PDB file of all heavy atoms in Angstrom:
ATOM      1  N   PRO A   1     104.835  93.664 132.836  1.00 60.00           N
ATOM      2  CA  PRO A   1     104.702  95.021 132.292  1.00 60.00           C
ATOM      3  C   PRO A   1     105.832  95.395 131.356  1.00 60.00           C
ATOM      4  O   PRO A   1     105.695  96.340 130.573  1.00 60.00           O
ATOM      5  CB  PRO A   1     104.706  95.895 133.554  1.00 60.00           C
ATOM      6  CG  PRO A   1     105.374  95.070 134.593  1.00 60.00           C
ATOM      7  CD  PRO A   1     105.017  93.651 134.285  1.00 60.00           C
ATOM      8  N   ASN A   2     106.952  94.691 131.418  1.00 61.00           N
ATOM      9  CA  ASN A   2     108.080  95.019 130.551  1.00 61.00           C
ATOM     10  C   ASN A   2     108.030  94.306 129.211  1.00 61.00           C
ATOM     11  O   ASN A   2     108.858  94.579 128.341  1.00 61.00           O
ATOM     12  CB  ASN A   2     109.397  94.662 131.259  1.00 61.00           C
ATOM     13  CG  ASN A   2     109.591  95.476 132.527  1.00 61.00           C
ATOM     14  OD1 ASN A   2     109.291  96.655 132.549  1.00 61.00           O
ATOM     15  ND2 ASN A   2     110.065  94.840 133.580  1.00 61.00           N
ATOM     16  N   GLU A   3     107.085  93.378 129.042  1.00 69.00           N
ATOM     17  CA  GLU A   3     107.025  92.627 127.793  1.00 69.00           C
ATOM     18  C   GLU A   3     106.248  93.410 126.751  1.00 69.00           C
ATOM     19  O   GLU A   3     105.161  93.926 127.026  1.00 69.00           O
ATOM     20  CB  GLU A   3     106.368  91.271 128.022  1.00 69.00           C
ATOM     21  CG  GLU A   3     106.377  90.407 126.785  1.00 69.00           C
ATOM     22  CD  GLU A   3     105.959  88.978 127.077  1.00 69.00           C
ATOM     23  OE1 GLU A   3     105.714  88.679 128.259  1.00 69.00           O
ATOM     24  OE2 GLU A   3     105.868  88.188 126.135  1.00 69.00           O
ATOM     25  N   PRO A   4     106.773  93.530 125.535  1.00 77.00           N
ATOM     26  CA  PRO A   4     106.079  94.296 124.494  1.00 77.00           C
ATOM     27  C   PRO A   4     104.815  93.597 124.021  1.00 77.00           C
ATOM     28  O   PRO A   4     104.689  92.383 124.114  1.00 77.00           O
ATOM     29  CB  PRO A   4     107.121  94.377 123.366  1.00 77.00           C
ATOM     30  CG  PRO A   4     108.001  93.186 123.580  1.00 77.00           C
ATOM     31  CD  PRO A   4     108.064  92.985 125.067  1.00 77.00           C
ATOM     32  N   THR A   5     103.868  94.373 123.524  1.00 81.00           N
ATOM     33  CA  THR A   5     102.617  93.838 122.998  1.00 81.00           C
ATOM     34  C   THR A   5     102.596  93.989 121.482  1.00 81.00           C
ATOM     35  O   THR A   5     103.270  94.853 120.922  1.00 81.00           O
ATOM     36  CB  THR A   5     101.412  94.559 123.614  1.00 81.00           C
ATOM     37  OG1 THR A   5     101.529  95.973 123.375  1.00 81.00           O
ATOM     38  CG2 THR A   5     101.350  94.321 125.121  1.00 81.00           C
ATOM     39  N   TYR A   6     101.793  93.146 120.840  1.00 85.00           N
ATOM     40  CA  TYR A   6     101.723  93.128 119.386  1.00 85.00           C
ATOM     41  C   TYR A   6     100.276  92.984 118.948  1.00 85.00           C
ATOM     42  O   TYR A   6      99.370  92.957 119.769  1.00 85.00           O
ATOM     43  CB  TYR A   6     102.546  91.953 118.823  1.00 85.00           C
ATOM     44  CG  TYR A   6     103.982  91.913 119.274  1.00 85.00           C
ATOM     45  CD1 TYR A   6     104.349  91.185 120.403  1.00 85.00           C
ATOM     46  CD2 TYR A   6     104.977  92.602 118.592  1.00 85.00           C
ATOM     47  CE1 TYR A   6     105.666  91.149 120.833  1.00 85.00           C
ATOM     48  CE2 TYR A   6     106.291  92.571 119.001  1.00 85.00           C
ATOM     49  CZ  TYR A   6     106.637  91.843 120.121  1.00 85.00           C
ATOM     50  OH  TYR A   6     107.939  91.803 120.535  1.00 85.00           O
ATOM     51  N   CYS A   7     100.078  92.889 117.633  1.00 88.00           N
ATOM     52  CA  CYS A   7      98.812  92.502 117.031  1.00 88.00           C
ATOM     53  C   CYS A   7      97.718  93.555 117.245  1.00 88.00           C
ATOM     54  O   CYS A   7      97.904  94.560 117.946  1.00 88.00           O
ATOM     55  CB  CYS A   7      98.363  91.136 117.578  1.00 88.00           C
ATOM     56  SG  CYS A   7      97.018  90.400 116.607  1.00 88.00           S
ATOM     57  N   LEU A   8      96.577  93.317 116.622  1.00 85.00           N
ATOM     58  CA  LEU A   8      95.427  94.206 116.770  1.00 85.00           C
ATOM     59  C   LEU A   8      94.809  94.104 118.156  1.00 85.00           C
ATOM     60  O   LEU A   8      94.117  95.011 118.600  1.00 85.00           O
ATOM     61  CB  LEU A   8      94.370  93.845 115.711  1.00 85.00           C
ATOM     62  CG  LEU A   8      94.823  93.936 114.243  1.00 85.00           C
ATOM     63  CD1 LEU A   8      93.757  93.358 113.325  1.00 85.00           C
ATOM     64  CD2 LEU A   8      95.142  95.371 113.850  1.00 85.00           C
ATOM     65  N   CYS A   9      95.082  92.974 118.849  1.00 84.00           N
ATOM     66  CA  CYS A   9      94.513  92.768 120.186  1.00 84.00           C
ATOM     67  C   CYS A   9      95.369  93.378 121.284  1.00 84.00           C
ATOM     68  O   CYS A   9      94.993  93.345 122.453  1.00 84.00           O
ATOM     69  CB  CYS A   9      94.320  91.271 120.443  1.00 84.00           C
ATOM     70  SG  CYS A   9      95.869  90.328 120.426  1.00 84.00           S
ATOM     71  N   HIS A  10      96.539  93.888 120.929  1.00 80.00           N
ATOM     72  CA  HIS A  10      97.456  94.505 121.900  1.00 80.00           C
ATOM     73  C   HIS A  10      97.825  93.553 123.038  1.00 80.00           C
ATOM     74  O   HIS A  10      97.830  93.927 124.214  1.00 80.00           O
ATOM     75  CB  HIS A  10      96.848  95.785 122.486  1.00 80.00           C
ATOM     76  CG  HIS A  10      96.494  96.810 121.450  1.00 80.00           C
ATOM     77  ND1 HIS A  10      97.440  97.471 120.707  1.00 80.00           N
ATOM     78  CD2 HIS A  10      95.284  97.249 121.016  1.00 80.00           C
ATOM     79  CE1 HIS A  10      96.834  98.305 119.873  1.00 80.00           C
ATOM     80  NE2 HIS A  10      95.524  98.176 120.023  1.00 80.00           N
ATOM     81  N   GLN A  11      98.107  92.287 122.678  1.00 81.00           N
ATOM     82  CA  GLN A  11      98.519  91.295 123.657  1.00 81.00           C
ATOM     83  C   GLN A  11      99.970  90.905 123.408  1.00 81.00           C
ATOM     84  O   GLN A  11     100.554  91.247 122.385  1.00 81.00           O
ATOM     85  CB  GLN A  11      97.625  90.050 123.573  1.00 81.00           C
ATOM     86  CG  GLN A  11      96.167  90.319 123.926  1.00 81.00           C
ATOM     87  CD  GLN A  11      95.962  90.697 125.372  1.00 81.00           C
ATOM     88  OE1 GLN A  11      96.663  90.202 126.245  1.00 81.00           O
ATOM     89  NE2 GLN A  11      95.015  91.588 125.631  1.00 81.00           N
ATOM     90  N   VAL A  12     100.538  90.171 124.383  1.00 80.00           N
ATOM     91  CA  VAL A  12     101.922  89.718 124.244  1.00 80.00           C
ATOM     92  C   VAL A  12     101.999  88.620 123.191  1.00 80.00           C
ATOM     93  O   VAL A  12     100.983  88.096 122.745  1.00 80.00           O
ATOM     94  CB  VAL A  12     102.470  89.199 125.591  1.00 80.00           C
ATOM     95  CG1 VAL A  12     102.492  90.308 126.619  1.00 80.00           C
ATOM     96  CG2 VAL A  12     101.644  88.023 126.095  1.00 80.00           C
ATOM     97  N   SER A  13     103.200  88.287 122.770  1.00 78.00           N
ATOM     98  CA  SER A  13     103.367  87.260 121.747  1.00 78.00           C
ATOM     99  C   SER A  13     103.065  85.884 122.319  1.00 78.00           C
ATOM    100  O   SER A  13     103.466  85.553 123.429  1.00 78.00           O
ATOM    101  CB  SER A  13     104.799  87.295 121.208  1.00 78.00           C
ATOM    102  OG  SER A  13     105.721  86.989 122.232  1.00 78.00           O
ATOM    103  N   TYR A  14     102.334  85.067 121.555  1.00 75.00           N
ATOM    104  CA  TYR A  14     102.063  83.682 121.927  1.00 75.00           C
ATOM    105  C   TYR A  14     101.621  82.940 120.673  1.00 75.00           C
ATOM    106  O   TYR A  14     101.132  83.526 119.716  1.00 75.00           O
ATOM    107  CB  TYR A  14     100.960  83.590 122.994  1.00 75.00           C
ATOM    108  CG  TYR A  14      99.628  84.129 122.574  1.00 75.00           C
ATOM    109  CD1 TYR A  14      98.708  83.334 121.879  1.00 75.00           C
ATOM    110  CD2 TYR A  14      99.272  85.442 122.851  1.00 75.00           C
ATOM    111  CE1 TYR A  14      97.490  83.821 121.485  1.00 75.00           C
ATOM    112  CE2 TYR A  14      98.050  85.948 122.453  1.00 75.00           C
ATOM    113  CZ  TYR A  14      97.162  85.128 121.777  1.00 75.00           C
ATOM    114  OH  TYR A  14      95.946  85.623 121.376  1.00 75.00           O
ATOM    115  N   GLY A  15     101.821  81.637 120.655  1.00 77.00           N
ATOM    116  CA  GLY A  15     101.414  80.816 119.536  1.00 77.00           C
ATOM    117  C   GLY A  15     102.111  81.213 118.238  1.00 77.00           C
ATOM    118  O   GLY A  15     103.209  81.776 118.242  1.00 77.00           O
ATOM    119  N   GLU A  16     101.447  80.940 117.111  1.00 82.00           N
ATOM    120  CA  GLU A  16     102.015  81.265 115.805  1.00 82.00           C
ATOM    121  C   GLU A  16     101.690  82.710 115.449  1.00 82.00           C
ATOM    122  O   GLU A  16     100.571  83.171 115.640  1.00 82.00           O
ATOM    123  CB  GLU A  16     101.462  80.319 114.742  1.00 82.00           C
ATOM    124  CG  GLU A  16     101.960  78.891 114.861  1.00 82.00           C
ATOM    125  CD  GLU A  16     101.528  78.049 113.681  1.00 82.00           C
ATOM    126  OE1 GLU A  16     100.367  77.650 113.658  1.00 82.00           O
ATOM    127  OE2 GLU A  16     102.360  77.812 112.789  1.00 82.00           O
ATOM    128  N   MET A  17     102.676  83.417 114.933  1.00 87.00           N
ATOM    129  CA  MET A  17     102.511  84.816 114.565  1.00 87.00           C
ATOM    130  C   MET A  17     103.073  85.034 113.170  1.00 87.00           C
ATOM    131  O   MET A  17     103.906  84.274 112.685  1.00 87.00           O
ATOM    132  CB  MET A  17     103.201  85.728 115.578  1.00 87.00           C
ATOM    133  CG  MET A  17     102.684  85.571 116.997  1.00 87.00           C
ATOM    134  SD  MET A  17     103.377  86.763 118.148  1.00 87.00           S
ATOM    135  CE  MET A  17     102.607  88.281 117.592  1.00 87.00           C
ATOM    136  N   ILE A  18     102.620  86.101 112.530  1.00 90.00           N
ATOM    137  CA  ILE A  18     103.070  86.441 111.185  1.00 90.00           C
ATOM    138  C   ILE A  18     103.432  87.913 111.149  1.00 90.00           C
ATOM    139  O   ILE A  18     102.793  88.736 111.807  1.00 90.00           O
ATOM    140  CB  ILE A  18     101.978  86.123 110.132  1.00 90.00           C
ATOM    141  CG1 ILE A  18     102.513  86.360 108.721  1.00 90.00           C
ATOM    142  CG2 ILE A  18     100.724  86.943 110.379  1.00 90.00           C
ATOM    143  CD1 ILE A  18     101.589  85.842 107.638  1.00 90.00           C
ATOM    144  N   GLY A  19     104.493  88.233 110.394  1.00 91.00           N
ATOM    145  CA  GLY A  19     104.959  89.608 110.305  1.00 91.00           C
ATOM    146  C   GLY A  19     104.441  90.284 109.051  1.00 91.00           C
ATOM    147  O   GLY A  19     104.380  89.691 107.979  1.00 91.00           O
ATOM    148  N   CYS A  20     104.054  91.550 109.196  1.00 92.00           N
ATOM    149  CA  CYS A  20     103.586  92.334 108.054  1.00 92.00           C
ATOM    150  C   CYS A  20     104.793  92.724 107.198  1.00 92.00           C
ATOM    151  O   CYS A  20     105.842  93.133 107.718  1.00 92.00           O
ATOM    152  CB  CYS A  20     102.842  93.572 108.538  1.00 92.00           C
ATOM    153  SG  CYS A  20     102.223  94.624 107.204  1.00 92.00           S
ATOM    154  N   ASP A  21     104.650  92.601 105.872  1.00 90.00           N
ATOM    155  CA  ASP A  21     105.750  92.899 104.962  1.00 90.00           C
ATOM    156  C   ASP A  21     105.895  94.389 104.668  1.00 90.00           C
ATOM    157  O   ASP A  21     106.762  94.777 103.878  1.00 90.00           O
ATOM    158  CB  ASP A  21     105.568  92.132 103.649  1.00 90.00           C
ATOM    159  CG  ASP A  21     105.914  90.652 103.802  1.00 90.00           C
ATOM    160  OD1 ASP A  21     106.999  90.363 104.332  1.00 90.00           O
ATOM    161  OD2 ASP A  21     105.107  89.798 103.407  1.00 90.00           O
ATOM    162  N   ASN A  22     105.047  95.201 105.269  1.00 90.00           N
ATOM    163  CA  ASN A  22     105.223  96.651 105.141  1.00 90.00           C
ATOM    164  C   ASN A  22     106.289  97.102 106.144  1.00 90.00           C
ATOM    165  O   ASN A  22     106.094  96.969 107.357  1.00 90.00           O
ATOM    166  CB  ASN A  22     103.897  97.358 105.428  1.00 90.00           C
ATOM    167  CG  ASN A  22     104.024  98.877 105.330  1.00 90.00           C
ATOM    168  OD1 ASN A  22     105.038  99.393 104.850  1.00 90.00           O
ATOM    169  ND2 ASN A  22     103.002  99.581 105.790  1.00 90.00           N
ATOM    170  N   PRO A  23     107.425  97.609 105.686  1.00 88.00           N
ATOM    171  CA  PRO A  23     108.488  97.996 106.627  1.00 88.00           C
ATOM    172  C   PRO A  23     108.094  99.130 107.565  1.00 88.00           C
ATOM    173  O   PRO A  23     108.699  99.296 108.619  1.00 88.00           O
ATOM    174  CB  PRO A  23     109.644  98.425 105.703  1.00 88.00           C
ATOM    175  CG  PRO A  23     108.991  98.769 104.399  1.00 88.00           C
ATOM    176  CD  PRO A  23     107.798  97.871 104.283  1.00 88.00           C
ATOM    177  N   ASP A  24     107.051  99.890 107.206  1.00 88.00           N
ATOM    178  CA  ASP A  24     106.602 101.005 108.044  1.00 88.00           C
ATOM    179  C   ASP A  24     105.397 100.644 108.905  1.00 88.00           C
ATOM    180  O   ASP A  24     104.762 101.531 109.487  1.00 88.00           O
ATOM    181  CB  ASP A  24     106.245 102.218 107.157  1.00 88.00           C
ATOM    182  CG  ASP A  24     107.449 102.721 106.366  1.00 88.00           C
ATOM    183  OD1 ASP A  24     108.565 102.681 106.918  1.00 88.00           O
ATOM    184  OD2 ASP A  24     107.267 103.150 105.214  1.00 88.00           O
ATOM    185  N   CYS A  25     105.052  99.363 108.979  1.00 91.00           N
ATOM    186  CA  CYS A  25     103.891  98.938 109.775  1.00 91.00           C
ATOM    187  C   CYS A  25     104.151  99.238 111.249  1.00 91.00           C
ATOM    188  O   CYS A  25     105.180  98.833 111.805  1.00 91.00           O
ATOM    189  CB  CYS A  25     103.639  97.438 109.581  1.00 91.00           C
ATOM    190  SG  CYS A  25     102.224  96.828 110.545  1.00 91.00           S
ATOM    191  N   PRO A  26     103.240  99.938 111.931  1.00 89.00           N
ATOM    192  CA  PRO A  26     103.468 100.282 113.337  1.00 89.00           C
ATOM    193  C   PRO A  26     103.357  99.106 114.288  1.00 89.00           C
ATOM    194  O   PRO A  26     103.849  99.150 115.412  1.00 89.00           O
ATOM    195  CB  PRO A  26     102.375 101.324 113.624  1.00 89.00           C
ATOM    196  CG  PRO A  26     101.286 101.010 112.648  1.00 89.00           C
ATOM    197  CD  PRO A  26     101.967 100.489 111.419  1.00 89.00           C
ATOM    198  N   ILE A  27     102.696  98.035 113.855  1.00 89.00           N
ATOM    199  CA  ILE A  27     102.477  96.881 114.739  1.00 89.00           C
ATOM    200  C   ILE A  27     103.466  95.757 114.445  1.00 89.00           C
ATOM    201  O   ILE A  27     104.002  95.131 115.336  1.00 89.00           O
ATOM    202  CB  ILE A  27     101.023  96.372 114.599  1.00 89.00           C
ATOM    203  CG1 ILE A  27     100.040  97.500 114.943  1.00 89.00           C
ATOM    204  CG2 ILE A  27     100.781  95.179 115.520  1.00 89.00           C
ATOM    205  CD1 ILE A  27      98.585  97.122 114.775  1.00 89.00           C
ATOM    206  N   GLU A  28     103.676  95.445 113.185  1.00 88.00           N
ATOM    207  CA  GLU A  28     104.656  94.476 112.677  1.00 88.00           C
ATOM    208  C   GLU A  28     104.210  93.025 112.817  1.00 88.00           C
ATOM    209  O   GLU A  28     104.182  92.276 111.861  1.00 88.00           O
ATOM    210  CB  GLU A  28     106.029  94.658 113.343  1.00 88.00           C
ATOM    211  CG  GLU A  28     106.686  95.987 113.024  1.00 88.00           C
ATOM    212  CD  GLU A  28     108.071  96.104 113.632  1.00 88.00           C
ATOM    213  OE1 GLU A  28     108.451  95.209 114.409  1.00 88.00           O
ATOM    214  OE2 GLU A  28     108.751  97.085 113.329  1.00 88.00           O
ATOM    215  N   TRP A  29     103.858  92.561 114.023  1.00 90.00           N
ATOM    216  CA  TRP A  29     103.577  91.139 114.242  1.00 90.00           C
ATOM    217  C   TRP A  29     102.131  90.940 114.677  1.00 90.00           C
ATOM    218  O   TRP A  29     101.582  91.724 115.451  1.00 90.00           O
ATOM    219  CB  TRP A  29     104.520  90.555 115.295  1.00 90.00           C
ATOM    220  CG  TRP A  29     105.930  90.456 114.790  1.00 90.00           C
ATOM    221  CD1 TRP A  29     106.928  91.350 114.990  1.00 90.00           C
ATOM    222  CD2 TRP A  29     106.479  89.416 113.979  1.00 90.00           C
ATOM    223  NE1 TRP A  29     108.079  90.941 114.354  1.00 90.00           N
ATOM    224  CE2 TRP A  29     107.833  89.749 113.724  1.00 90.00           C
ATOM    225  CE3 TRP A  29     105.973  88.235 113.447  1.00 90.00           C
ATOM    226  CZ2 TRP A  29     108.673  88.945 112.968  1.00 90.00           C
ATOM    227  CZ3 TRP A  29     106.810  87.430 112.685  1.00 90.00           C
ATOM    228  CH2 TRP A  29     108.143  87.793 112.457  1.00 90.00           C
TER     229      TRP A  29
END
């Protein structure tokens, strides 16, 4: 429960990920 979630799927980080180049992106990864 303490691990942050990312992406459109709202899951934890795993595998290969890419960061959005918009500095104001609410999701980022």
Side-chain angles (χ1 to χ4, degrees):
N2 297 320
E3 185 170 357
T5 56
Y6 305 92
C7 194
L8 301 172
C9 62
H10 302 292
Q11 296 294 326
V12 297
S13 63
Y14 62 86
E16 290 188 282
M17 301 186 70
I18 185 170
C20 180
D21 284 310
N22 179 11
D24 298 324
C25 180
I27 302 177
E28 295 183 353
W29 290 96

